[in-house]
Amino acid sequence: MSEARVANDGVPAMLSPGYRRYALAVLVLGYTSSHVDRNIMGILLEPVKADLMLSDTQLGFLSGIAFAIFYATLGIPIALIADRGNRRNIIAWAIAIWSGMTALCGMAQNFWQLAAARVGVGIGEAGSSPPSHSMIADMYPPNERASAMAIYSLGVYFGVMIGFLVGGWVAVWYGWRAAFFVVGLPGLILALLVRFTLKEPPRGGADGMAPEQPSAPLTVGTGITIVKEGFRHLWKTAAARHVVLGVTITSFVGYGGVMWGPAFLIRTHGMSIGEVSTYLALMAGIVGGIGAYFGGRLTDRLAAKDPRWNTWVVAWAKIIVVPFIIAFYLMDNWPAFHIGSYAVSILWVIYVPIAFLGAFYLGPSFAMIQTLTPPAKRALASAVMLFIINIIGLGFGPQFVGILSDFFNHSMGLGNQSLRWALFGTAMFNIWAATHYFLAGHHLKKSLAPGHRA
């Protein structure tokens, strides 16, 4: 692989295009692996519930808080180390840990053992995204960053696709325990690929800056101070503040929908695990992946004329998708059409724009946080953002839907319809998220003006 060169003026030269593409592809594989292991719980909720005799509230805990607390909290100290150390090695160790702990989920015999294994998955995944975001920002200049981050975010949709498709069918054929083994163990090979084929990009090189060096050694005291500055930076930078609020609300809705979507289709529409895993995998992996890439490319193109489109693209996507969400959750007795010998419900046609438009947000959101942050603090900024969105979104999104479903079931007697109304109510938060993305665009011109310090 080609190493970065240093120009005569001391500013790091760009990495070769071929190496950047390769490194980005490997980081996408890592992100894909993390989302396979994170989201496989969604397709396995029903068999796990039946085997271990769990409530929806307990399932919400396993798919949300048990993972999110350690994932989000440990991401911050790991990011502090990543901003001063070797990001590649941190990512490699993280992949190895979460992959091993995913395999251990298949050995759980009760709620607490499964919860402990899920905590382990969260601990491993804490070391992945912040250093990956930082490396990508140091490989791609600002005018290409949303596209690069959109490509990286394809890992979310590829991960959900593989988790649902492989996890669902392995569960049908061999049981839910085997599914955890099948998706977990290959990650150990990927960890070796990261460790021995990737290199550290020079910090600030893609922005034309000389490498920034930490001003003081990392201690507990300096670490706390730096973290406070990270939170303060995201809060006091108006555009960044609204991006974080928008992506947090979006994640709250999204994680609740991903984790509980399969159970909704099984309970409410009587679909089989195999059917749900196949269609949701195709929707998430293909339609969602195309949406993520298109959203990033569209953002870079429109933002070249007006920087407010860096977030307005996401805002409009969230507004346009609302009518499709209403139809998806509230309408019954969907007619079917035939593709060869297969009958396909119109329900899945309605889901296409939901998957496509719903995928717009990650690339532009990640890119804006990196662009609005100095290079030496980018892993920390990413970790702070992920801490907020994952504690609230990943931690409480699935938990909120589970609690609301149990409430509608036991207190209002809605039975199998309780999950439908819990998901519908949560999905309407998309309008709130769109408001913050519109406000972020309003503040972006000032934040990105020449001479303005992020």
Side-chain angles (χ1 to χ4, degrees):
M1 299 299 168
S2 173
E3 292 197 53
R5 302 179 301 279
V6 178
N8 293 331
D9 58 4
V11 178
M14 295 290 288
L15 295 161
S16 70
Y19 173 77
R20 288 192 300 156
R21 288 192 293 269
Y22 171 78
L24 181 58
V26 172
L27 293 176
V28 170
L29 287 177
Y31 201 38
T32 298
S33 173
S34 74
H35 276 271
V36 172
D37 295 0
R38 181 186 314 183
N39 292 306
I40 191 173
M41 277 298 300
I43 197 64
L44 300 179
L45 285 183
E46 289 299 285
V48 169
K49 177 186 177 79
D51 189 14
L52 301 184
M53 295 181 289
L54 305 180
S55 68
D56 281 356
T57 299
Q58 288 177 307
L59 292 173
F61 179 84
L62 289 171
S63 57
I65 293 176
F67 174 92
I69 288 178
F70 290 89
Y71 170 61
T73 304
L74 289 178
I76 292 178
I78 292 173
L80 290 174
I81 298 171
D83 275 333
R84 295 163 179 259
N86 191 299
R87 293 165 286 186
R88 174 203 62 194
N89 292 354
I90 291 172
I91 295 169
W93 276 107
I95 294 173
I97 292 170
W98 83 57
S99 299
M101 295 306 296
T102 297
L104 285 178
C105 288
M107 301 176 67
Q109 299 299 313
N110 55 49
F111 169 77
W112 292 109
Q113 290 178 6
L114 187 52
R118 289 289 291 171
V119 165
V121 177
I123 291 172
E125 292 196 21
S128 175
S129 285
S132 295
H133 289 187
S134 179
M135 287 180 69
I136 293 169
D138 283 334
M139 293 190 295
Y140 288 86
N143 64 324
E144 299 178 22
R145 201 163 284 156
S147 294
M149 288 293 185
I151 292 172
Y152 176 74
S153 71
L154 292 176
V156 175
Y157 307 99
F158 293 162
V160 174
M161 177 178 68
I162 296 170
F164 280 8
L165 191 61
V166 176
W169 282 107
V170 170
V172 169
W173 295 329
Y174 303 107
W176 65 268
R177 298 180 186 280
F180 281 113
F181 289 114
V182 169
V183 302
L185 295 178
L188 300 176
I189 299 173
L190 179 58
L192 296 175
L193 187 68
V194 170
R195 173 61 182 83
F196 293 107
T197 68
L198 295 192
K199 298 179 182 295
E200 274 285 290
R203 299 179 196 272
D207 296 271
M209 301 178 183
E212 296 185 36
Q213 298 298 326
S215 58
L218 184 59
T219 65
V220 174
T222 58
I224 292 174
T225 300
I226 294 169
V227 171
K228 287 181 179 178
E229 290 176 354
F231 276 96
R232 188 180 301 115
H233 165 72
L234 292 183
W235 182 255
K236 297 186 80 172
T237 306
R241 178 173 69 247
H242 285 293
V243 169
V244 171
L245 289 169
V247 76
T248 298
I249 298 166
T250 299
S251 297
F252 185 88
V253 175
Y255 279 118
V258 167
M259 289 299 179
W260 286 104
F264 159 70
L265 293 167
I266 292 169
R267 296 181 193 180
T268 304
H269 294 283
M271 297 182 182
S272 67
I273 291 178
E275 181 182 6
V276 170
S277 66
T278 299
Y279 283 117
L280 280 183
L282 294 174
M283 289 294 175
I286 298 177
V287 179
I290 293 172
Y293 179 75
F294 181 81
R297 297 287 293 182
L298 180 64
T299 297
D300 276 340
R301 176 165 295 191
L302 294 179
K305 301 176 181 178
D306 186 337
R308 291 175 294 184
W309 283 106
N310 277 295
T311 58
W312 282 1
V313 167
V314 180
W316 279 111
K318 299 206 145 303
I319 294 298
I320 294 170
V321 80
V322 168
F324 297 99
I325 291 175
I326 293 172
F328 181 78
Y329 283 124
L330 297 191
M331 295 184 69
D332 281 322
N333 301 317
W334 291 100
F337 63 95
H338 290 271
I339 300 179
S341 59
Y342 294 96
V344 180
S345 172
I346 298 296
L347 180 74
W348 294 113
V349 177
I350 296 295
Y351 195 71
V352 168
I354 296 175
F356 179 77
L357 295 169
F360 274 33
Y361 78 104
L362 276 179
S365 300
F366 289 167
M368 275 297 91
I369 295 303
Q370 296 295 298
T371 298
L372 293 167
T373 303
K377 298 179 180 178
R378 282 175 172 165
L380 174 62
S382 175
V384 170
M385 177 189 70
L386 290 170
F387 172 83
I388 296 169
I389 70 175
N390 285 307
I391 286 292
I392 297 174
L394 177 57
F396 291 101
Q399 185 72 77
F400 179 79
V401 173
I403 291 172
L404 202 58
S405 177
D406 277 341
F407 171 77
F408 286 150
N409 182 21
H410 300 304
S411 299
M412 303 183 68
L414 293 180
N416 284 341
Q417 299 301 311
S418 64
L419 186 55
R420 175 208 296 267
W421 289 103
L423 285 167
F424 170 75
T426 306
M428 289 301 101
F429 288 3
N430 273 300
I431 299 171
W432 183 13
T435 302
H436 286 292
Y437 279 108
F438 278 121
L439 291 171
H442 174 74
H443 292 285
L444 270 177
K445 273 196 171 181
K446 179 179 178 181
S447 297
L448 299 178
H452 182 269
R453 292 184 63 84

